[in-house]
Amino acid sequence: MKTKKRHFTLTMGVSLVAAAMALSSSAPAAVAASAAGRQAAAIVPVAASRQAAAPACAPDTTVQTDRGPVCGLVVNNVKSWLGVPYAAPPVDKLRWAPPEQHAPWTTALEATERGSACPQPAFLGPESYNEDCLKLNVAVPVNAGTEPLAVMVEFHGGGFRLGASSDGTYLAGAGRVVHVSVDYRLGILGFLAHKTLGARSGNWALRDQQEALRWVQRNISRFGGDPNNVTIYGASAGGSSVCAHTTSPVSKGLFQKGISQSGEYNSLRGHETMWQTQDCKSDLPTEAEAQQTGDRFAAAVGCGNAADVAACLRAVPAKTLVEKAGDGIGPDKGTLAPIVDGTILPLSPAEAFATGRVNKVSLMHGVDRDETQLLGANTPEEYEALVKQQYDSLAPEVFKRYPLNRFPAPSAFIAYRTIVADSNSVCPALLNDERLARHIPVYAFQVDNADAPPIFFLDKTKPNGSYHINEALLLSFPRTDLSPNQQTFATQLAAQWTGFARTGNPTVDGTPYWSKFTRSHPGVMSLVPAGDSQLTEEISKQHNCDFWKKYAAFTR
């Protein structure tokens, strides 16, 4: 790994949304439970023990895929097929190998139960060590008509180490789209690079996502979807995945549009404490660095001096691998996130954006105004100490731009929250908007939902503002507990996200006018509740972006 610190702090993305759904007593009955826990499986972010047999297939749901027939469920006027294999189980010789097509079958596969989450530690739910996890879920509105529907493919968040596919039935029904959610290899099983694993090893998770997109190309028309109108989207690590595929030559032609939500989240200066560098703005590790880390990891699990290191690694139990890798912090923990490997990622996404080496797609791209992935400051003393810790030699300049007396009480908390959001998310996202807009259509946004419904991982006594991925909570399932302002906002977001997927433009009925971000008109859609969203060109001034941009990676 490079000498500068390359770690990452808390960013759960959709996984946290899923957990909040699972914990929320206000979630509607169709989400909280179904005939045999289908929705519970959909919202719990890791594999849950099944207390009942999977439900039987509903009539008239059998679809012939290229590998074999599948049948599914019908709930709330949405057909769904759960746990459909898109690749062979990545076990034995396929562990740390490119995904291969699943063996064909002839008897209808009852796709009525969500597949296992890919191996990960206990965090938001029980641990999972089942490597037979390369499955996807398809949701289609009933009575969709004869015209092919736009397709939305979701990659979940969780820092590339946690999480599982989410429930797409809400967007499928509300937006009249075909929704596909994907499970992919995570952590050490999704990213380990080692010279004995073959040329260009690593980035297995991104390869899985690409294989899922190939499955969509081959099969989605059989479910009523249009393979020539595919939008990939995701929040947090899912947003970072969208950035990766926007730049990957291997992803060319597999999708036409993307929505990156909160894909900028790593610390600007690299002073992080929990997970590895991975986001849309960062200078990612090289293949050589990752292989050196892989050598140390192989030694740590007892395979460093084996006659056949690859065979030895593939024989280590998944539980051992996951536990040894931990959160990736430390010299012998292996690689748990994307790398520049020359094939899947020839460059870090930010460098590709800066140099124009991107696929010809259209993007919606943005973050939340108050994103923070670090511990907050509760006192002036903590504020001063944390700023010095995070920004080292820049601290005096930071203090000048963010004096405590400018912020309302609790001033230390709000000031530090603002600094972290500006430096790590808001300004890097704006810089990436500028880079991307030179080459492809970009619709930029900032979620300014300062009174977003609370989520369990935040301290509800603090003014958290428009926190990380709060809009994903409104896009994931229908809510009955929202204020009128938030309900209007949730309806608007669903219309914009699915409208963009259908037409390539988020300006659709029930939404405000939203123009492309350009050099001459760098408008960012400020997304706020109550029908008050509007374009603004003031974000750079409000957030000190001219200052922060000077310290961004690949600034030219």
Side-chain angles (χ1 to χ4, degrees), residues 275-318:
W275 292 353
Q276 294 179 353
T277 298
Q278 56 188 254
D279 74 350
C280 298
K281 71 172 181 294
S282 294
D283 182 7
L284 301 181
T286 66
E287 180 184 20
E289 290 170 334
Q291 287 188 351
Q292 292 171 6
T293 303
D295 285 338
R296 294 191 293 271
F297 182 79
V301 296
C303 294
N305 295 319
D308 187 335
V309 174
C312 180
L313 285 168
R314 289 178 172 130
V316 177

Side-chain angles (χ1 to χ4, degrees), residues 353-365:
F353 296 165
T355 57
R357 295 177 63 176
V358 296
N359 294 319
K360 297 304 179 183
V361 298
S362 300
L363 290 184
M364 284 173 56
H365 174 260

Side-chain angles (χ1 to χ4, degrees), residues 110-132:
E110 294 190 350
T112 62
E113 190 173 43
R114 190 167 297 273
S116 171
C118 287
Q120 58 191 275
F123 190 82
L124 302 174
E127 62 195 9
S128 174
Y129 300 112
N130 184 355
E131 294 180 71
D132 183 6

Side-chain angles (χ1 to χ4, degrees), residues 24-103:
S24 174
S25 60
S26 62
V31 176
S34 70
R38 182 183 74 88
Q39 293 290 355
I43 61 180
V44 174
V46 293
S49 59
R50 300 187 175 98
Q51 302 299 321
C57 288
D60 301 320
T61 59
T62 299
V63 174
Q64 181 69 41
T65 74
D66 66 334
R67 310 314 289 167
V70 296
C71 57
L73 299 169
V74 180
V75 177
N76 294 335
N77 291 317
V78 176
K79 295 181 180 180
S80 61
W81 294 263
L82 306 176
V84 178
Y86 67 86
V91 298
D92 301 325
K93 291 185 178 181
L94 292 182
R95 180 192 275 183
W96 298 309
E100 295 185 359
Q101 287 197 31
H102 197 282

